[in-house]
Amino acid sequence: AKAHQRASYSYFTVDMGVEIRERVRMMHALRAAFENERLFVVYQPQIDMRTKSAVGAEALLRWKTEDGTFVPPDQFIPIAEYSGLIVDIGEWVLRSACFELVELHKLGFTNFKMAINVSQAQFSHPLFLQSLELALKDSQALANCVELEITESMAMTDPELLIKTLLHIKHLGVQVSIDDFGTGFSSLSHLQKLNVDKLKIDRAFVNEINESSDEGSIAKMIVQLSKSLNIKVIAEGVETECQAETLMSFGCHLAQGYLYARPLSKDDLRSWLEKRAS
Ligand code: C2E
Ligand code: CA
Ligand code: CA
Ligand code: CA
């Protein structure tokens, strides 16, 4: 038994070592990728389901390694957050998306909105507001067409700082939405105090809606909540007509998902929009 214990103990430390080394390796690779411009931003259209028109897009980060494979954001974003790299990378995404927004407006897609993910570390950084102001100023993007997506869990860590930062953002005219809504258990009274512009129904709740059942009770509840708070609501991860129809019957008219479009490169988004408009 003793030998066995020792063996499992040493396995445990070896595994930990491997995991940490792997994370450190990935962190260095990510930094190099950022410096060598192997990160890029793709844009997933957001649709008004009633008119089928594209009203905006969400900017999503991509990492293409030298051998041409993609590292999924779910893998590298946590490392970027953990290492602090997300502050610089996130600022770069913010700036890129603002500049692209202006290009789209110039192409005639007036009033097009750009949603940008902002992580906790970035949002609570003392220079965040300054970098947001600078991105708006340098790009000349219309503030009320820029929307920051923050997560529900962020809404809980430092409420004082959050409320202060949100007020400042509001003052700039920038919109705020709560991403992955329904997964973070934030209190409803707190939500009211935050004064955000939009809730984004998490994909998991959209996924529950299918032909064989009339699930979707959480999605429905979130739509009703948004109505009573008098804020907008959008569903993410919409993949089927059935989901779209059901969400509309609940009163949710904005959607994003593979049913309409996958995340697209800058050029592909432009031609996708042009084709749709004609
Ligand atoms: P998210 O913010 O919830 O983004 C939505 C994710 O759902 C995206 O995954 C998108 O490609 C995917 N998606 C969209 N429509 C569908 C659909 O119909 N079905 C399914 N199954 N998936 C769909 P992606 O691009 O892999 O990003 C994953 C996560 O990484 C994002 O989740 C976000 O949390 C994070 N992320 C991505 N880009 C950034 C960024 O620039 N900054 C920060 N802080 N986080 C980012
Ligand atoms: Ca998002
Ligand atoms: Ca989301
Ligand atoms: Ca999600």
Side-chain angles (χ1 to χ4, degrees):
K2 209 161 189 188
H4 175 76
Q5 258 172 15
R6 208 176 318 134
S8 53
Y9 177 72
S10 70
Y11 275 122
F12 179 67
T13 47
V14 167
D15 283 352
M16 292 268 291
V18 168
E19 202 182 282
I20 291 167
R21 232 174 291 137
E22 173 56 22
R23 266 206 242 172
V24 170
R25 189 200 62 79
M26 202 160 176
M27 187 187 96
H28 287 303
L30 180 59
R31 177 176 293 131
F34 182 47
E35 281 163 4
N36 298 316
E37 295 171 22
R38 284 196 303 274
L39 299 185
F40 59 103
V41 182
V42 290
Y43 301 90
Q44 187 177 32
Q46 298 182 332
I47 309 291
D48 184 327
M49 293 186 279
R50 288 169 300 190
T51 59
K52 306 269 189 213
S53 59
V55 292
E58 177 181 7
L60 293 159
L61 190 57
R62 291 292 177 268
W63 174 8
K64 194 178 184 180
T65 60
E66 268 165 315
D67 61 24
T69 58
F70 287 91
V71 186
D74 289 335
Q75 252 171 53
F76 72 81
I77 299 277
I79 288 172
E81 281 170 343
Y82 166 85
S83 62
L85 273 171
I86 196 68
V87 175
D88 287 345
I89 294 176
E91 182 180 1
W92 173 78
V93 172
L94 175 69
R95 293 181 65 88
S96 307
C98 284
F99 276 92
E100 183 54 21
L101 175 65
V102 170
E103 289 309 311
L104 293 170
H105 284 171
K106 280 186 192 155
L107 286 170
F109 304 106
T110 49
N111 211 25
F112 196 82
K113 307 283 196 291
M114 186 62 79
I116 303 157
N117 294 287
V118 178
S119 82
Q120 163 86 62
Q122 204 188 340
F123 198 80
S124 53
H125 193 278
L127 294 178
F128 175 68
L129 290 168
Q130 227 168 292
S131 66
L132 174 61
E133 283 181 46
L134 198 65
L136 293 172
K137 186 165 164 268
D138 290 348
S139 64
Q140 291 288 296
L142 289 174
N144 63 4
C145 290
V146 174
E147 184 179 291
L148 303 181
E149 293 193 358
I150 64 172
T151 59
E152 206 181 354
S153 51
M154 269 164 76
M156 292 188 298
T157 41
D158 187 346
E160 307 280 281
L161 178 71
L162 182 71
I163 290 169
K164 238 179 85 184
T165 311
L166 287 178
L167 271 174
H168 194 130
I169 291 171
K170 241 205 165 94
H171 184 73
L172 293 173
V174 171
Q175 308 282 298
V176 176
S177 70
I178 300 198
D179 203 357
D180 302 340
F181 189 77
T183 62
F185 310 105
S186 70
S187 81
L188 297 183
S189 62
H190 190 55
L191 180 65
Q192 199 162 26
K193 262 184 250 145
L194 293 182
N195 210 359
V196 297
D197 304 282
K198 195 191 266 177
L199 300 181
K200 197 163 187 182
I201 305 171
D202 190 65
R203 196 163 76 212
F205 306 125
V206 173
N207 209 19
E208 277 183 6
I209 305 169
N210 56 59
E211 326 265 350
S212 55
S213 71
D214 51 8
E215 280 301 323
S217 47
I218 296 179
K220 188 176 185 177
M221 189 207 74
I222 295 172
V223 177
Q224 284 164 350
L225 177 65
S226 75
K227 300 245 176 283
S228 56
L229 291 172
N230 200 17
I231 58 183
K232 285 175 267 184
V233 63
I234 183 168
E236 71 175 6
V238 177
E239 293 181 355
T240 66
E241 279 299 345
C242 165
Q243 290 167 346
E245 295 291 324
T246 308
L247 286 160
M248 278 200 281
S249 76
F250 293 163
C252 173
H253 301 121
L254 297 173
Q256 183 184 336
Y258 297 166
L259 177 62
Y260 303 103
R262 300 222 162 214
L264 304 168
S265 71
K266 216 151 84 165
D267 289 341
D268 286 349
L269 175 69
R270 291 182 192 186
S271 36
W272 187 89
L273 287 172
E274 259 144 26
K275 216 172 99 195
R276 251 183 123 83
S278 65

